[in-house]
């Protein structure tokens, strides 16, 4: 980056906003690498802007980021159609639970049109008035309101109905790790809901299921075969935490690569399991883990 006074001034005003802008972009795109690229592109546009004329830098930059994300989503949809196996969003691991946009909700958002997704996130998640939402997506306020309402209807069932208590969630995550990695199949079965679902994303880079698995019987068959294939104690626990808002854990697997496991818990039982194995989506986690 240039060190001339103008560039330094631009960076000084932009950098405090960067985490919030990345949060908007990540919620829109489901990819941390793409979100960081979009925000960097927004910075380059900020550099070229007459910043003295910008009264509200955060709103101005959020509009730029939103429009860049809308452009990105058009090509992302094509890439998604060519994706090998199940697609899950990049895992974000945090020490505390967040319940505004959990992993199941991110998957539901992915089924919306880009404009519906943007209107819902900007209004329902980030709390913007519809006048500002409309400016961000280049529509009038009535259209923005309608887009958000349509999105809300389509994803109502995926909003967290029973947010799990932090300590209880981590207790279940610990019990799940110990039972699944230690070969305690009866203990594992006791944790699972009858209609449990299992999703894994290997991106064609590591072994993973091409389709989701539904139901406790098929889930137990999967774990029985995994234990025969990899044996007990092959996963090294890195940390417990909240992965896209869900209790879970990060492990280092037999091949030396990180893996995340997120658990959707309802009424004390594991109702869905989301495993990220694609190394391209795990690189941003690094060695420090929970952040």
């Amino acid at each position: 980056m240039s060190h001339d006074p103008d560039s330094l001034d631009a960076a000084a005003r932009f950098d405090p906003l960067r985490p919030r802008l990345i949060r908007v972009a990540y919620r829109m795109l489901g990819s941390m690498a793409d979100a960081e690229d979009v925000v960097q592109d927004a910075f380059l546009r900020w550099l070229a802007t007459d910043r003295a004329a910008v009264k509200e830098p955060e709103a101005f930059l959020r509009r730029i980021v939103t429009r860049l994300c809308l452009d990105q989503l058009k090509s992302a949809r094509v890439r998604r159609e060519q994706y090998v196996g199940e697609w899950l969003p990049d895992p974000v691991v945090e020490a505390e639970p967040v319940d505004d946009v959990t992993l199941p909700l991110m998957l539901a958002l992915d089924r919306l049109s880009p404009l519906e997704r943007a209107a819902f996130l900007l209004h329902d998640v980030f709390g913007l008035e519809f006048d500002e939402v409309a400016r961000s997506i280049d529509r009038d306020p009535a259209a923005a309101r309608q887009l958000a309402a349509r999105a809300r209807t389509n994803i109502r069932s995926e909003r967290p109905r029973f947010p799990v208590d932090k300590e209880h969630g981590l207790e279940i995550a610990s019990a799940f790790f110990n039972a699944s990695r230690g070969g305690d199949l009866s203990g594992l079965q006791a944790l699972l809901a009858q209609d449990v679902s299992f999703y894994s994303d290997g991106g064609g880079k590591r072994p993973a299921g091409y389709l989701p698995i539904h139901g406790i019987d098929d889930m137990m068959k999967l774990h029985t075969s995994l234990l025969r294939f990899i044996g007990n104690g092959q996963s090294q626990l890195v940390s417990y935490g909240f992965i896209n808002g869900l209790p879970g854990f990060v492990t280092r697997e037999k091949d030396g690569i990180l893996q995340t496991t997120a658990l959707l818990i309802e009424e004390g039982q594991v109702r869905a399991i989301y495993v990220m194995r694609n190394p391209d989506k795990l690189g941003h986690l690094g060695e420090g883990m929970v952040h």
Side-chain angles (χ1 to χ4, degrees), residues 92-99 101-105 107 158 160 162-166 169-170 173 199 240-249 260-266 270-275:
V92 172
V93 183
E94 297 171 296
E96 298 293 327
V98 294
D99 55 18
V101 184
T102 57
L103 200 156
L105 182 55
L107 290 172
E158 303 298 342
F162 312 104
V164 65
D165 171 78
K166 174 186 173 181
L170 292 178
Y199 307 85
Y240 292 107
F242 290 84
I243 299 160
N244 299 100
L246 300 183
F249 47 85
T260 62
T261 301
L263 306 175
L264 176 63
I265 299 167
E266 291 182 354
V270 176
R271 193 163 296 280
I273 302 155
Y274 304 90
V275 176

Side-chain angles (χ1 to χ4, degrees), residues 162-212:
F162 312 104
V164 65
D165 171 78
K166 174 186 173 181
E167 297 306 324
H168 185 49
L170 292 178
E171 282 174 12
I172 292 178
S174 174
F176 183 93
F177 172 80
N178 290 322
S180 62
R181 299 313 198 269
D184 179 7
L185 292 176
S186 61
L188 177 65
Q189 185 165 347
L191 294 168
L192 304 178
Q194 287 295 315
D195 59 350
V196 64
S197 296
F198 177 86
Y199 307 85
S200 59
D201 179 343
K205 308 290 179 71
R206 294 167 84 195
Y210 279 81
L211 294 170

